[in-house]
Amino acid sequence: MAQAGSADPGVGGHWAAGPRCAPWRWALALLWLATAAGGPSRRQWPVPYKRFSFRPEPDPYCQAKYTFCPTGSPIPVMKGDDVIEVFRLQTPVWEFKYGNLLGHLKIMHDAIGFKSTLTGKNYTMEWYELFQLGNCTFPHLRPEMNAPFWCNQGAACFFEGIDDIHWKENGTLVLVATISGNTFNQMAKWVKRDNETGIYYETWTVQASPTKGAETWFESYDCSKFVLRTYKKLAELGAEFKKIETNYTRIFLYSGEPTYLGNETSIFGPTGNKTLALAIKRFYYPFKPHLSTKEFLLSILQIFDAVIIHREFYLFYNFEYWFLPMKFPFIKITYEEIPLPKRNETLSGL
Ligand SMILES: *[C@@H]1O[C@H](CO)[C@@H](O)[C@H](O)[C@H]1NC(C)=O
Ligand SMILES: *[C@@H]1O[C@H](CO)[C@@H](O)[C@H](O)[C@H]1NC(C)=O
Ligand SMILES: *[C@@H]1O[C@H](CO)[C@@H](O)[C@H](O)[C@H]1NC(C)=O
Ligand SMILES: *[C@@H]1O[C@H](CO)[C@@H](O)[C@H](O)[C@H]1NC(C)=O
Ligand SMILES: *[C@@H]1O[C@H](CO)[C@@H](O)[C@H](O)[C@H]1NC(C)=O
Ligand SMILES: *[C@@H]1O[C@H](CO)[C@@H](O)[C@H](O)[C@H]1NC(C)=O
Ligand SMILES: *[C@@H]1O[C@H](CO)[C@@H](O)[C@H](O)[C@H]1NC(C)=O
Ligand SMILES: *[C@@H]1O[C@H](CO)[C@@H](O)[C@H](O)[C@H]1NC(C)=O
């Protein structure tokens, strides 16, 4: 996850040098193609989330119904010896009951709060969709375009203030750690880099089955993942977390081993497989991306039905399409514990 686009010919553009390419480069490129085309069975699971070298401006077609991060501000520099309280913040986005299959759906939004002892000021930090969940989960099928069109950026938002009532009333506002101003400043640098390189929201976690230890094919990349990454970073920087139960919402799909289909150009371009292109568009046709969260959940239920009947799902991940041979129980929304990290548990690049 950590290395920004290394070993990835699609991102850094190392292979796109064109006329200046030395012959050995071509040889290497061919070698790479040969390995890439080799055994699909030798894939790395879960598929690593692709990091980018910078964040592009969203396409003007994507128009937010609610302005992203309206009161956002740069992360302040704290005094090194300040004492900063860190809060776990969680609030329901939507809750409802759907039969026995999906049970009680509890979709929570996660964020982190900070409070400076020296200034008394407090802050909220969260990561969320620029154009809402529906737009990150389903594409637009635009008549003038052959390929499905995605408005799926997500980003970090930092602003002054913690709206206590918003988090406390139906959710959580609880102290999880106390850090120094110095640690906070180091975290801020990491957040900036994380925000520039991890730019696309991924709704689904895809696994082979709900049992423990089952293979994970794809990891989601959402608000809770950002909170978990930040906690992990803080632990690496020496923060000690309290021992409390911390649960998160995860939206699962269950499938056999996924098959790689290709990217936008290779599928929907002039040389693409028309049958496949049509199948993908047909799959997405019933799902409307410009939705409220409530409508989004209704769309999920529609997917649920489609998936049970046809046992197929076309997943878009890292701007590439994958076929998922769906398996029982197909789709699940859980609210499970992911414990707070232990101090200096792991070392990571990012
Ligand atoms: C989703 O994207 C469409 C297209 O830009 C936009 O019209 C709509 O407002 C977006 N939905 C939300 C909830 O922001
Ligand atoms: C993250 O990137 C978005 C989009 O460029 C920007 O609006 C936001 O302020 C950034 N967040 C932080 C915490 O720097
Ligand atoms: C954050 O600051 C506001 C304004 O001073 C205050 O009302 C609120 O209780 C504070 N919340 C926390 C968790 O510190
Ligand atoms: C808490 O839940 C109740 C009942 O669903 C709702 O009326 C209220 O607006 C919620 N409070 C907040 C701060 O979201
Ligand atoms: C965490 O690990 C790093 C690298 O091993 C080490 O330099 C650092 O001192 C550790 N921090 C704490 C607080 O133990
Ligand atoms: C799409 O896939 C083709 C064929 O595998 C590859 O040549 C091309 O660079 C890819 N395009 C992008 C934008 O990744
Ligand atoms: C095109 O895609 C369809 C559906 O995925 C597949 O059955 C067919 O074999 C593909 N054709 C070619 C020439 O790859
Ligand atoms: C949190 O998750 C644990 C196990 O993952 C579960 O036993 C517990 O009931 C969950 N708590 C809530 C409030 O749902």
Side-chain angles (χ1 to χ4, degrees):
M1 279 231 180
Q3 60 282 61
S6 64
D8 191 333
V11 182
H14 310 303
W15 303 99
R20 290 179 51 213
C21 261
W24 63 268
R25 280 196 150 195
W26 283 107
L28 267 184
L30 284 176
L31 191 67
W32 176 79
L33 279 176
T35 8
S41 53
R42 281 214 225 109
R43 290 248 172 225
Q44 184 188 346
W45 306 114
V47 171
Y49 176 82
K50 191 183 270 178
R51 290 201 173 260
F52 292 79
S53 45
F54 69 99
R55 177 186 289 277
E57 278 296 314
D59 190 284
Y61 178 83
C62 303
Q63 291 294 325
K65 198 165 171 194
Y66 313 97
T67 309
F68 174 79
C69 203
T71 58
S73 64
I75 306 182
V77 177
M78 304 289 187
K79 283 237 170 68
D81 60 352
D82 196 349
V83 174
I84 317 274
E85 289 178 319
V86 182
F87 299 95
R88 158 176 158 91
L89 307 176
Q90 192 172 64
T91 188
V93 177
W94 185 256
E95 282 188 83
F96 79 114
K97 179 113 180 111
Y98 179 73
N100 289 327
L101 271 171
L102 285 170
H104 183 218
L105 304 182
K106 192 164 171 167
I107 300 209
M108 305 294 274
H109 173 65
D110 294 273
I112 306 183
F114 300 99
K115 182 177 182 203
S116 155
T117 306
L118 282 180
T119 66
K121 283 186 182 172
N122 60 33
Y123 306 89
T124 304
M125 181 166 85
E126 54 191 347
W127 195 95
Y128 66 100
E129 317 88 331
L130 263 57
F131 310 101
Q132 307 290 306
L133 189 55
N135 273 315
C136 289
T137 312
F138 309 114
H140 294 260
L141 299 176
R142 298 168 65 181
E144 73 277 20
M145 281 186 171
N146 198 23
F149 185 84
W150 293 83
C151 294
N152 56 348
Q153 279 201 34
C157 173
F158 187 95
F159 58 93
E160 188 175 331
I162 295 178
D163 181 355
D164 289 17
I165 295 166
H166 174 71
W167 302 104
K168 247 188 210 157
E169 200 163 276
N170 303 314
T172 309
L173 191 168
V174 60
L175 182 75
V176 288
T178 304
I179 59 175
S180 69
N182 200 18
T183 299
F184 178 90
N185 294 339
Q186 280 175 275
M187 177 207 72
K189 276 194 204 130
W190 170 84
V191 167
K192 192 161 176 283
R193 197 150 24 107
D194 186 75
N195 192 36
E196 281 164 3
T197 60
I199 50 190
Y200 295 106
Y201 191 99
E202 299 284 356
T203 304
W204 312 98
T205 303
V206 187
Q207 285 193 345
S209 83
T211 50
K212 244 196 164 153
E215 185 93 62
T216 299
W217 310 120
F218 299 92
E219 293 275 10
S220 63
Y221 196 86
D222 57 9
C223 63
S224 70
K225 280 286 152 70
F226 173 72
V227 167
L228 292 165
R229 280 198 303 286
T230 307
Y231 287 162
K232 181 164 165 265
K233 188 74 210 172
L234 288 174
E236 278 170 32
L237 293 170
E240 257 183 284
F241 285 89
K242 295 197 179 312
K243 289 187 183 59
I244 52 166
E245 186 182 79
T246 46
N247 290 24
Y248 302 87
T249 298
R250 298 173 84 189
I251 308 182
F252 286 96
L253 294 176
Y254 299 104
S255 88
E257 183 165 339
T259 318
Y260 179 73
L261 298 174
N263 61 30
E264 222 154 74
T265 336
S266 70
I267 298 172
F268 298 96
T271 60
N273 176 337
K274 302 266 181 309
T275 318
L276 176 61
L278 196 63
I280 295 178
K281 289 209 272 191
R282 277 222 183 97
F283 173 77
Y284 280 117
Y285 188 73
F287 314 118
K288 301 283 176 291
H290 29 61
L291 302 171
S292 66
T293 305
K294 182 176 166 186
E295 291 168 317
F296 167 75
L297 280 169
L298 291 174
S299 249
I300 286 220
L301 301 179
Q302 252 179 304
I303 284 204
F304 190 55
D305 290 337
V307 149
I308 288 177
I309 294 164
H310 302 292
R311 306 212 162 206
E312 55 185 37
F313 193 100
Y314 291 97
L315 179 77
F316 187 63
Y317 198 90
N318 288 338
F319 271 66
E320 295 171 326
Y321 288 89
W322 295 78
F323 178 75
L324 308 180
M326 298 297 288
K327 295 197 318 204
F328 183 82
F330 309 105
I331 173 169
K332 223 175 182 178
I333 300 181
T334 65
Y335 185 65
E336 287 171 45
E337 179 167 25
I338 301 175
L340 288 163
K342 294 196 183 76
R343 183 169 170 157
N344 235 1
E345 188 177 42
T346 34
L347 301 166
S348 100
L350 207 107

